[in-house]
Each structure stands twice: as structure tokens, then as C-alpha cells.
Amino acid sequence: VVGELALLKRDAELLPDDAGIQYRLGMALYLAGESADAESRLRRAAKLNPQSPDAPLALADPAAAHR
């Protein structure tokens, strides 16, 4: 998980406007126990792609979004 998290962080830096990457990083951060950073990434994903229900669902209930 640590290696995957590092790759997602790198990808998020390279593609800051990619909602999918921001969402995946947010979920990975949540699973790693970094809830404050996860929330920030998930909010960014929701802002970048307001039509997608994924990030708002994850913000409301991260455990449900992970199922």
C-alpha cells in the first residue's frame, strides 16, 4: 500500500486536474488512516467532476464508498 500511495501522490502532482486520480488518492489516504488529507483530495475530486457521485459519497461515508 505504501508504494501505491507514493505513486498516486506522484500522479496527483503531475495531473492535478484529473478527478479520477484525486479520488483514488483520497480513498488510498483514507485507507492509510490519513483522513484530513483524504478529505482534501476527495473535495478536490468532487470539485473537478461535480457530475460524479463517487467523491461526495466517499465524503459522506468513506467506508461505504470503499465496499
Side-chain angles (χ1 to χ4, degrees):
V1 173
V2 174
E4 181 180 345
L5 192 54
L7 290 174
L8 283 169
K9 286 180 179 182
R10 182 207 63 194
D11 292 349
E13 291 297 319
L14 293 171
L15 299 167
D17 294 331
D18 187 304
I21 290 173
Q22 297 298 323
Y23 172 77
R24 287 189 292 280
L25 177 55
M27 292 306 298
L29 288 165
Y30 168 76
L31 293 172
E34 298 180 34
S35 58
D37 289 339
E39 182 178 346
S40 174
R41 295 299 179 155
L42 291 169
R43 287 192 186 285
R44 177 141 178 80
K47 183 178 178 184
L48 290 169
N49 187 3
Q51 295 81 20
S52 174
D54 295 333
L57 173 62
L59 285 164
D61 186 358
H66 179 63
R67 292 183 201 142

